Amino acid sequence: MSDANGSNPKGKDKLIADVKQLAADVEELINATAEQTNKKVSSLHTRLRGSLKATRDQLIEVETIAVDKTTEAFREAVKKASEATEVAAAAVEDAMQSAEDAARKTAEAGRDAALNAAEATREASRTAAAAAKEAATKTLDVLKHWGQ
């Protein structure tokens, strides 16, 4: 039953093929019996031709609907793929910005560390110079008072 309502595309295709074959067989039967002039056969030919035309028209409509649904499903899939691509591109852009920000912060932290190290070196040099000056001054004092 699911084949007839379109939930199984292969089943629907098989049904369409079967109906087309039935239409071809009916047309062949009509042509084979066209020579018979019996009123019942003539009436049956008329009904069969009408039914055959209606069946073919319905088949065309079903196939058109199937093509339209397939086209719409394809468009929807393309739209979703496009949206997913846009989301991915935005995520890549965000990741790139985050990486750039992290690199900038790392560079700033490195610069700050270098400045702090330089300041500590200057302070240590000042302290060492002051200690050397004090030692030199005391040595001079000792030398001045050595001989006295």
Side-chain angles (χ1 to χ4, degrees):
M1 202 85 26
S2 66
D3 292 350
N5 68 17
S7 64
N8 182 348
K10 288 183 181 180
K12 186 182 234 180
D13 290 344
K14 171 93 171 87
L15 177 62
I16 289 171
D18 289 348
V19 171
K20 283 182 176 181
Q21 184 59 51
L22 177 62
D25 291 345
V26 168
E27 186 171 19
E28 187 178 337
L29 177 63
I30 290 170
N31 291 335
T33 59
E35 301 281 324
Q36 297 183 7
T37 57
N38 183 328
K39 190 171 187 176
K40 280 186 175 184
V41 172
S42 179
S43 174
L44 181 58
H45 277 209
T46 302
R47 285 195 327 260
L48 283 174
R49 280 193 175 98
S51 295
L52 186 58
K53 182 179 179 343
T55 299
R56 285 188 173 148
D57 290 347
Q58 288 175 345
L59 276 174
I60 290 170
E61 185 176 335
V62 166
E63 287 177 322
T64 301
I65 290 170
V67 167
D68 289 348
K69 284 183 179 181
T70 301
T71 301
E72 184 58 34
F74 180 76
R75 283 185 183 138
E76 188 63 28
V78 168
K79 178 181 174 187
K80 286 181 180 183
S82 176
E83 290 169 355
T85 301
E86 289 174 9
V87 168
V92 167
E93 190 173 320
D94 289 347
M96 287 172 47
Q97 185 62 47
S98 294
E100 185 179 320
D101 291 346
R104 188 178 309 113
K105 287 178 183 176
T106 301
E108 289 171 3
R111 187 190 77 225
D112 290 347
L115 289 175
N116 288 339
E119 182 60 34
T121 302
R122 278 193 294 275
E123 186 59 34
S125 295
R126 280 187 214 119
T127 302
K133 182 179 177 183
E134 186 178 332
T137 302
K138 285 183 182 179
T139 302
L140 281 175
D141 282 345
V142 167
L143 288 175
K144 281 183 191 176
H145 292 35
W146 181 305
Q148 300 177 4

Coordinates of all heavy atoms in Angstrom, one line a residue, residues 10 36 45 77 82 92-93 96 98 112 114 129 131 134-136 142-143:
K10 N 10.7 3.4 -5.7 CA 10.9 2.3 -6.6 C 9.5 1.6 -6.8 O 9.3 1.2 -7.9 CB 11.9 1.3 -6.0 CG 13.3 1.8 -6.0 CD 14.3 0.8 -5.5 CE 15.7 1.4 -5.6 NZ 16.7 0.5 -5.1
Q36 N -13.8 -6.1 -35.8 CA -15.1 -6.7 -35.4 C -16.1 -5.7 -35.3 O -15.9 -4.6 -34.7 CB -14.9 -7.5 -34.1 CG -14.0 -8.6 -34.2 CD -13.9 -9.4 -32.9 OE1 -14.6 -9.2 -31.9 NE2 -13.0 -10.4 -32.8
H45 N -14.9 -1.1 -27.3 CA -13.8 -0.3 -27.8 C -13.9 1.2 -27.4 O -12.8 1.8 -27.1 CB -13.8 -0.4 -29.4 CG -13.2 -1.7 -29.9 ND1 -12.6 -1.7 -31.1 CD2 -13.0 -2.9 -29.4 CE1 -12.1 -2.9 -31.3 NE2 -12.4 -3.7 -30.3
A77 N 17.6 20.4 -0.7 CA 18.9 19.9 -0.3 C 20.0 20.9 -0.7 O 21.0 21.1 0.1 CB 19.1 18.5 -1.0
S82 N 23.9 24.9 1.1 CA 24.4 26.2 1.0 C 24.4 26.9 2.4 O 25.4 27.5 2.8 CB 23.5 27.0 0.1 OG 23.9 28.4 0.0
V92 N 34.8 29.3 10.5 CA 36.2 29.4 10.1 C 36.6 30.8 10.3 O 37.7 31.1 10.9 CB 36.4 29.0 8.6 CG1 37.8 29.4 8.1 CG2 36.3 27.5 8.5
E93 N 35.8 31.8 9.9 CA 36.2 33.2 10.1 C 36.3 33.5 11.6 O 37.3 34.2 12.0 CB 35.1 34.1 9.5 CG 35.5 35.5 9.5 CD 34.5 36.4 8.7 OE1 33.9 35.9 7.7 OE2 34.2 37.5 9.1
M96 N 39.5 32.0 12.9 CA 40.7 32.8 12.4 C 40.8 34.1 13.3 O 42.0 34.4 13.7 CB 40.5 33.2 10.9 CG 40.7 32.1 10.0 SD 40.3 32.4 8.2 CE 41.1 34.0 7.9
S98 N 39.8 34.4 16.4 CA 40.3 34.0 17.7 C 41.8 33.7 17.7 O 42.5 34.1 18.6 CB 39.5 32.7 18.1 OG 38.2 33.0 18.3
D112 N 55.6 42.4 27.2 CA 55.6 42.8 28.6 C 56.6 42.1 29.4 O 57.3 42.7 30.2 CB 54.2 42.6 29.1 CG 53.2 43.6 28.6 OD1 53.5 44.6 27.9 OD2 51.9 43.3 28.7
A114 N 59.5 40.8 28.3 CA 60.8 41.4 27.9 C 61.0 42.7 28.6 O 62.1 43.0 29.1 CB 60.9 41.5 26.4
A129 N 76.1 48.2 40.7 CA 77.0 49.4 40.6 C 77.1 50.1 42.0 O 78.2 50.6 42.4 CB 76.5 50.3 39.5
A131 N 76.7 48.8 44.9 CA 77.5 48.0 45.8 C 79.0 48.1 45.5 O 79.9 48.1 46.4 CB 77.1 46.5 45.7
E134 N 80.3 51.4 46.7 CA 80.4 51.4 48.2 C 81.7 50.6 48.6 O 82.4 51.1 49.4 CB 79.2 50.8 48.8 CG 79.2 50.9 50.3 CD 78.0 50.3 51.0 OE1 76.9 50.3 50.3 OE2 78.1 49.8 52.1
A135 N 81.9 49.5 47.9 CA 83.1 48.7 48.2 C 84.4 49.5 47.8 O 85.4 49.5 48.6 CB 83.1 47.4 47.4
A136 N 84.3 50.2 46.7 CA 85.5 51.0 46.3 C 85.7 52.1 47.3 O 86.9 52.4 47.6 CB 85.3 51.5 44.9
V142 N 90.1 52.6 53.6 CA 91.0 51.7 54.3 C 92.5 52.0 53.8 O 93.4 52.1 54.6 CB 90.7 50.2 54.0 CG1 91.8 49.3 54.4 CG2 89.4 49.8 54.7
L143 N 92.7 52.3 52.5 CA 94.0 52.6 52.0 C 94.5 53.9 52.6 O 95.7 54.1 52.8 CB 94.0 52.6 50.5 CG 93.9 51.3 49.8 CD1 93.7 51.5 48.3 CD2 95.1 50.4 50.1

